[in-house]
Amino acid sequence: MTTPDNLAQIGVVGLAVMGSNLARNFASRGHTVAVYNRSPEKTRDLIAEHGSEGSFIPSETIADFVASLERPRKAIIMVQAGPATDAVINQLADAMEDGDIIIDGGNALYTDTVRREQEMSARNRHFVGAGISGGEEGALNGPSIMPGGPKESWATLGPLLESIAADVDGTPCVTHIGPDGAGHFVKMVHNGIEYADMQVIGEAYQLLRFGAGMTPAEIAEVFAEWNKGDLDSYLIEITAEVLRQVDAETGKPLVDVILDAAGQKGTGRWTVKEALDLGVPVTAIGEAVFARALSSSLDQRKAAQGNLPTGKLADFAGLGLDKESFVEDVRRALYASKLVAYSQGFDEIKAGSDEHDWNVDPRDLATIWRGGCIIRAKFLNRIVEAYDTNPALPALLLDPYFKGELEGLIDSWRKVVIVATQLGLPVPVFASSLSYYDSLRAERLPAAIIQGQRDFFGAHTYKRIDKEGTFHTLWSGDRSEVES
């Protein structure tokens, strides 16, 4: 029987790799951790393998697990998203009391989090949807954490989460994001940015490998060098490691024996769907999601290979390109496309925050993404500075620093997209990001002709640039204009 002297400060439900590592992280920081898994074997395995790392209280029933927690009870759920999460939430709520806190640390759809928070609030339980980024290593050694939910829960939960989060310059990579679904919404968009970031890195690799004809080992050295400058980031760092890896069985570069069909678990798609509902163009993220889908359309790709006309393609040597200069051009195009992806992601977060009255602070996000998470990167410090300078910045690309950066990137960016087209190499995010950039800065867009078309076939009306009001042309009549 658990006594008040040995109650746990925090509990973890679900002891697969992420949950197990999170529990170990809490224990390593001096917290007593209650642990429970639906299959008791996982609980026993955790204690057998890692019980010496700190203080754990294992339980084999939800009732015993809840009884082992100090008040207000705090339990983090790390189980499969969907019905399994709902089931565990309800089991915990049934065993808990008023004021206790249930935290969902999985990748839940934010609308589910909104619903769950409302349901738990009606039962006088606190519910926190917390995005946790950093993968297995982050969960163990320090993730970036994005908790939403009631502000009063943060007062109790905050110090615990700060103790296990990554730390950059003395600042923990965790903060209260906003009410109900704000935390999971932000984590969703974080993952969408991650999709775009990974895709542009892949496109850079593709250009160097199949354009410039470099080997994976040579490209690994390029990425390692890039990681010393403006592109310093976790994803650039691990890309160099992947490219260096040699397959033990075949002796070939590992990247050459990995099937080129990218998987996805849904957060990228959610990001794009939500952006469509909010009317926010996240073209870089969208193209990255579609690129993964296309890569996995193996039957279509096989049928198309050697079967579709290419037109007159160039080869790298025939274009008279200097390889060293081209590598630098690709670096700059990668950096520019990456800036667009982050800018679009912050646009979507602002739109979502405005839609739901969350009051999310973009500066806070850039701060907590500097460490622990998958998209951690050196230039996030510049994003923090951008929002310090202008908290109401209309778009990240309009910050004076980033405008200055783009001035030095734009020519290379255009050149790389042109060369990729000449070589017949797909660069969907490089190209769509450049089109987005050009659309953003254009004085006039073709939307005027679209509005004219819409008015012609559907009397949808249009506005004018020279006077107030809404107008319609009598296309089937004398084509005079009337005010609607």
Side-chain angles (χ1 to χ4, degrees), residues 332-465:
R332 292 176 181 177
L334 170 55
Y335 185 21
S337 300
K338 183 185 180 87
L339 287 177
V340 168
Y342 279 75
S343 186
Q344 291 178 348
F346 276 92
D347 287 347
E348 180 169 358
I349 289 170
K350 182 182 185 305
S353 177
D354 290 346
E355 176 74 14
H356 300 285
D357 295 321
W358 286 332
N359 198 29
V360 175
D361 186 342
R363 185 196 182 280
D364 286 348
L365 306 184
T367 300
I368 67 172
W369 288 349
R370 293 181 303 161
C373 69
I374 301 301
I375 64 171
R376 60 185 183 265
K378 176 182 176 181
F379 88 118
L380 280 159
N381 286 307
R382 295 291 189 180
I383 298 179
V384 173
E385 292 171 6
Y387 286 112
D388 273 339
T389 303
N390 182 5
L393 190 64
L396 191 59
L397 297 179
L398 295 172
D399 171 71
Y401 174 81
F402 289 120
K403 280 197 297 182
E405 290 289 276
L406 286 162
E407 188 173 347
L409 304 174
I410 186 66
D411 289 340
S412 290
W413 195 7
R414 294 193 191 285
K415 182 178 180 180
V416 165
V417 171
I418 291 169
V419 169
T421 303
Q422 291 174 313
L423 297 174
L425 294 175
V427 286
V429 177
F430 276 18
S432 68
S433 297
L434 180 57
S435 288
Y436 169 85
Y437 176 82
D438 283 336
S439 296
L440 198 62
R441 62 165 196 84
E443 185 176 345
R444 291 282 288 174
L445 291 171
I449 194 67
I450 293 170
Q451 284 301 92
Q453 292 167 339
R454 294 178 72 241
D455 190 60
F456 190 107
F457 66 69
H460 291 296
T461 74
Y462 52 84
K463 293 183 182 295
R464 296 176 58 102
I465 63 172

Side-chain angles (χ1 to χ4, degrees), residues 66-388:
V66 169
S68 70
L69 294 167
E70 67 179 21
R71 301 281 319 269
R73 301 178 181 91
K74 299 165 287 293
I76 298 182
I77 301 169
M78 300 296 293
V79 301
Q80 186 176 7
T85 299
D86 281 313
V88 173
I89 290 169
N90 287 319
Q91 288 173 350
L92 287 171
D94 289 343
M96 285 180 164
E97 298 177 284
D98 291 359
D100 289 347
I101 306 170
I102 301 170
I103 308 106
D104 177 12
N107 275 332
L109 183 59
Y110 84 97
T111 49
D112 287 339
T113 303
V114 172
R115 169 180 57 80
R116 290 163 179 159
E117 198 274 336
Q118 291 171 347
E119 292 171 353
M120 291 301 104
S121 178
R123 300 181 63 179
N124 295 317
R125 313 292 192 260
H126 293 282
F127 184 78
V128 172
I132 300 177
S133 179
E136 298 173 14
E137 179 185 349
L140 181 61
N141 298 315
S144 175
I145 311 175
M146 295 150 260
K151 185 71 174 179
E152 53 267 39
S153 296
W154 174 246
T156 301
L157 195 58
L160 280 165
L161 297 182
E162 287 174 346
S163 73
I164 67 159
D167 185 285
V168 176
D169 299 330
T171 301
C173 293
V174 57
T175 191
H176 183 250
I177 303 298
D180 53 65
H184 274 145
F185 185 94
V186 164
K187 176 56 163 58
M188 173 190 76
V189 178
H190 163 284
N191 284 22
I193 296 171
E194 180 184 309
Y195 273 54
D197 209 344
M198 294 171 74
Q199 176 65 24
V200 292
I201 290 171
E203 291 175 18
Y205 159 78
Q206 187 90 341
L207 287 164
L208 299 183
R209 180 76 190 278
F210 301 106
M214 299 172 69
T215 66
E218 289 172 331
I219 302 170
E221 295 310 309
V222 168
F223 274 84
E225 187 63 29
W226 287 354
N227 199 48
K228 297 176 183 177
D230 292 328
L231 290 175
D232 179 355
S233 65
Y234 174 70
L235 285 171
I236 293 288
E237 176 188 345
I238 67 170
T239 300
E241 294 300 315
V242 171
L243 289 168
R244 287 191 181 109
Q245 186 68 20
V246 174
D247 177 49
E249 185 175 338
T250 64
K252 297 178 180 179
L254 180 64
V255 70
D256 285 352
V257 298
I258 296 175
L259 180 66
D260 57 335
Q264 52 184 306
K265 291 188 175 179
T267 46
R269 291 196 303 271
W270 294 347
T271 304
V272 176
K273 288 178 181 179
E274 189 61 27
L276 289 170
D277 287 341
L278 291 169
V280 179
V282 292
T283 53
I285 298 169
E287 289 292 349
V289 172
F290 291 134
R292 290 197 188 191
L294 179 56
S295 75
S296 298
S297 300
L298 296 175
D299 290 342
Q300 282 186 319
R301 289 177 57 202
K302 184 177 180 180
Q305 286 167 25
N307 222 3
L308 289 176
T310 64
K312 187 177 181 180
L313 295 177
D315 60 57
F316 192 81
L319 292 173
L321 297 170
D322 174 73
K323 185 181 291 187
E324 187 175 333
S325 297
F326 182 68
V327 169
E328 175 59 15
D329 285 334
V330 171
R331 184 194 71 81
R332 292 176 181 177
L334 170 55
Y335 185 21
S337 300
K338 183 185 180 87
L339 287 177
V340 168
Y342 279 75
S343 186
Q344 291 178 348
F346 276 92
D347 287 347
E348 180 169 358
I349 289 170
K350 182 182 185 305
S353 177
D354 290 346
E355 176 74 14
H356 300 285
D357 295 321
W358 286 332
N359 198 29
V360 175
D361 186 342
R363 185 196 182 280
D364 286 348
L365 306 184
T367 300
I368 67 172
W369 288 349
R370 293 181 303 161
C373 69
I374 301 301
I375 64 171
R376 60 185 183 265
K378 176 182 176 181
F379 88 118
L380 280 159
N381 286 307
R382 295 291 189 180
I383 298 179
V384 173
E385 292 171 6
Y387 286 112
D388 273 339

